[in-house]
Amino acid sequence: QAAGPTLAAAAAAAGGHSALAAADVLAIDEAQFFPDLVSFATGAADAGGKTVLVAGLDGDFRRRPFGGVGALLPHADEITKLASTCAVCGASAHFSVRLDAGDGDAPTPPGSPLRPGAALEGPQVVVGGADKYAAVCRAHYNSATGGKGADRGGVAASVWAAVAAEPAPQAV
């Protein structure tokens, strides 16, 4: 889980218990960075009767769980998963790739928004926006990572490779 400031500390800085008690709705942005996300949000909703709106990434640039957003899903009354637009083709984008390894070296090739392999290098968190990350569709994520995202290894990849190699059934 990502380390960062706690929601409890942010609430205390914003006026503490009295401010929370007066609020009907709590909004949490960049939720993946708060280590106490699940306990704070479920406590506010269950014990405090608050409506809690949470916005954050559920996966990182390697398509691995990011922070507590995924762990919060079973506690949610409603879930809306939003998509961006693929930086390469304009399709619906549910993934992000890192444009460099997080060290400033090896920029993307001229004319291409993606540098092959960059999506799997470096630390989980590198602060930046469009200068560091691009939203991409599944096809361009796989292209940028060489098909080696976190959910493309081991048995699952070999099963899909075998399925793809089978001849298509013939109509009778």
Side-chain angles (χ1 to χ4, degrees), residues 5 10 34 38 42 57 71 83 94 142 146 158 162 166 169:
F34 294 102
V38 175
T42 57
L57 301 174
H94 293 279
N142 288 332
S158 63
E166 290 179 10

Side-chain angles (χ1 to χ4, degrees), residues 20-53:
L20 286 177
D24 294 324
V25 178
L26 301 178
I28 302 168
D29 195 13
E30 298 286 354
Q32 70 274 8
F33 293 120
F34 294 102
D36 61 340
L37 173 65
V38 175
S39 62
F40 185 89
T42 57
D46 295 344
K50 307 296 181 189
T51 297
V52 182
L53 306 175

